[in-house]
Amino acid sequence: NDYFWGVYFCGKRGQVVDGRHFEPSFDWYASCLLSNWQANKNSVQQWYTHEIETKDCENQPDLARGMYYQVLQKWTRSWQRNQIFVMAFHDLVSKSSQYMSLLSSFTSLKLPLEFPHNNGHESTWKVEKMCCSTRHKLLEFHQGENGRLYNALDIDFKHGYKPQAEPQFTPFPQPSCTAC
């Protein structure tokens, strides 16, 4: 249950209400999780590693969702790297026909060549612009993990370990932010 991990690591203040509303705020909760990570409160670092190893982390508003290098390592223990197509979402959105064509080639499926360019999903979890201070903390937190991902994907690209159709991975752009 998503509620329990939030209570465990950031007290009863950070929780999902009504199955989708996040309280008290994204910025508060991100700061709380980062602070607890740095102090390894309640063995949070080991918990995240376990979550990545055993679950999909898809529906959790937590730090593990951005640990793509660890996720890639998890999947390459089950499949050869040339069976896993990795692309940056920002490239899929900005170059949709090119990337959908590459993905279609990889899967041998006829896929639509256009990908929606807006996030029409309405949710109280959606953050249009995070606080710049939170963005700075999150970028700093993920810097090492992203560096490992970029290096691993670069090696796969240079040595041909990746699928033939997979393009070279481009680094994540910095998200926009606002002063808070």
Side-chain angles (χ1 to χ4, degrees):
N1 184 323
D2 287 343
Y3 173 78
F4 291 108
W5 67 263
V7 169
Y8 190 67
F9 294 118
C10 287
K12 293 183 180 180
R13 290 189 60 194
Q15 59 187 299
V16 178
V17 179
D18 298 329
R20 62 187 186 96
H21 183 72
F22 193 73
E23 291 183 355
S25 74
F26 173 80
D27 297 303
W28 178 88
Y29 204 71
S31 293
C32 174
L33 287 175
L34 289 167
S35 173
N36 287 343
W37 179 275
Q38 291 166 346
N40 201 21
K41 182 178 178 183
N42 295 329
S43 301
V44 66
Q45 293 176 21
Q46 292 77 12
W47 182 85
Y48 275 112
T49 301
H50 176 75
E51 286 293 292
I52 289 171
E53 292 293 322
T54 61
K55 298 181 181 161
D56 64 13
C57 301
E58 181 179 313
N59 295 314
Q60 297 182 18
D62 62 35
L63 303 173
R65 291 184 71 184
M67 295 180 175
Y68 302 117
Y69 174 75
Q70 291 183 38
V71 172
L72 182 60
Q73 295 303 301
K74 171 187 174 179
W75 290 112
T76 56
R77 286 194 292 275
S78 298
W79 289 283
Q80 294 177 15
R81 175 61 180 89
N82 66 1
Q83 296 175 301
I84 303 169
F85 190 94
V86 178
M87 68 176 142
F89 183 75
H90 62 272
D91 286 331
L92 173 62
V93 171
S94 66
K95 305 170 192 168
S96 64
S97 61
Q98 175 189 351
Y99 275 66
M100 290 301 287
S101 177
L102 293 169
L103 188 57
S104 182
S105 174
F106 172 72
T107 61
S108 299
L109 297 172
K110 185 171 174 64
L111 301 172
L113 292 181
E114 289 302 314
F115 191 82
H117 287 221
N118 70 348
N119 182 354
H121 175 73
E122 291 302 321
S123 169
T124 55
W125 286 73
K126 190 174 179 178
V127 176
E128 296 294 335
K129 287 186 179 179
M130 71 178 83
C131 292
C132 292
S133 60
T134 303
R135 180 187 74 171
H136 175 76
K137 290 176 194 175
L138 289 170
L139 288 172
E140 187 176 89
F141 173 79
H142 286 289
Q143 183 177 9
E145 180 79 6
N146 287 344
R148 286 185 288 279
L149 175 69
Y150 301 153
N151 288 337
L153 293 174
D154 191 47
I155 289 168
D156 292 349
F157 187 84
K158 287 178 181 174
H159 295 286
Y161 302 145
K162 62 162 193 74
Q164 184 176 356
E166 183 182 294
Q168 188 160 15
F169 193 86
T170 59
F172 302 116
Q174 288 193 9
S176 58
C177 68
T178 188
C180 292

